[in-house]
Amino acid sequence: NIESVRGAIQSEIQQQFAIYLSYVDIEDIVIDASSADIDSNKLSVKISYRLPGQSVPDIFELESETSPTIGFY
């Protein structure tokens, strides 16, 4: 649960958006994992973004664990 690792993941996500989805405005990226999550190889990524012309942001959430969960809200 090291801040530099979370920062590296966040930076990589921002770089990939800039390359492949440059029209998307990223509002927030949250990388989260408790000590217990790390011990069980679990990680949560939540991206709040806005497409052109949208007034309300969308959220993409990914939880990486034994059985991954991916959701758009």
Side-chain angles (χ1 to χ4, degrees), residues 37-54:
D37 290 340
I38 291 170
D39 290 342
S40 62
N41 294 321
K42 183 178 177 183
L43 177 71
S44 173
V45 178
K46 188 174 185 179
I47 303 170
S48 177
Y49 64 95
R50 206 180 290 259
L51 295 173
Q54 282 188 325

Side-chain angles (χ1 to χ4, degrees), residues 15-65:
Q15 287 177 16
Q16 294 301 308
F17 266 83
I19 293 169
Y20 298 106
L21 298 167
S22 58
Y23 58 90
V24 175
D25 181 27
I26 298 176
E27 296 200 346
D28 193 25
I29 299 174
V30 177
I31 312 293
D32 191 31
S34 67
S35 295
D37 290 340
I38 291 170
D39 290 342
S40 62
N41 294 321
K42 183 178 177 183
L43 177 71
S44 173
V45 178
K46 188 174 185 179
I47 303 170
S48 177
Y49 64 95
R50 206 180 290 259
L51 295 173
Q54 282 188 325
S55 59
V56 178
D58 288 318
I59 297 172
F60 172 80
E61 190 167 6
L62 170 68
E63 290 184 4
S64 174
E65 55 184 308

